[in-house]
């Protein structure tokens, strides 16, 4: 086998920003809608913590710190 002598491209770091979390899906969905109207790429992630279900409102992905800071 031939080894490549070139350096592989750097791995791009992607960051998601958790805005907040709610116990009720409807609250998370309402915030998601408001953020979408402001132009943010927004998702809701369901998370189980013991007996409690949380709905995390996430914005992103961001590939650089400047965009993350401005959000």
């Amino acid at each position: 086998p031939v080894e490549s002598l070139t350096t592989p491209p750097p791995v791009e770091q992607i960051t998601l920003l958790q805005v907040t979390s709610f116990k009720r899906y409807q609250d998370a969905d309402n915030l998601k809608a408001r953020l979408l109207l402001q132009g943010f790429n927004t998702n809701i992630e369901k998370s189980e913590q013991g007996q409690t279900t949380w709905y995390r409102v996430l914005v992103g992905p961001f590939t650089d710190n400047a965009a993350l800071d401005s959000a």
Side-chain angles (χ1 to χ4, degrees), residues 36-53:
L36 285 170
L37 289 173
Q38 294 179 21
F40 291 101
N41 184 14
T42 308
N43 291 300
I44 297 173
E45 178 184 275
K46 183 178 177 180
S47 174
E48 302 287 335
Q49 302 294 320
Q51 299 293 323
T52 306
T53 301

Side-chain angles (χ1 to χ4, degrees), residues 5-58:
L5 298 177
T6 61
T7 305
V11 176
E12 185 174 52
Q13 181 175 341
I14 296 174
T15 304
L16 295 173
L17 175 65
Q18 179 177 325
V19 178
T20 191
S21 60
F22 295 98
K23 290 183 179 179
R24 292 180 355 132
Y25 179 83
Q26 187 62 42
D27 294 333
D29 195 48
N30 288 341
L31 179 58
K32 176 185 176 181
R34 290 191 320 214
L35 291 169
L36 285 170
L37 289 173
Q38 294 179 21
F40 291 101
N41 184 14
T42 308
N43 291 300
I44 297 173
E45 178 184 275
K46 183 178 177 180
S47 174
E48 302 287 335
Q49 302 294 320
Q51 299 293 323
T52 306
T53 301
W54 291 94
Y55 298 95
R56 298 175 177 172
V57 181
L58 305 172

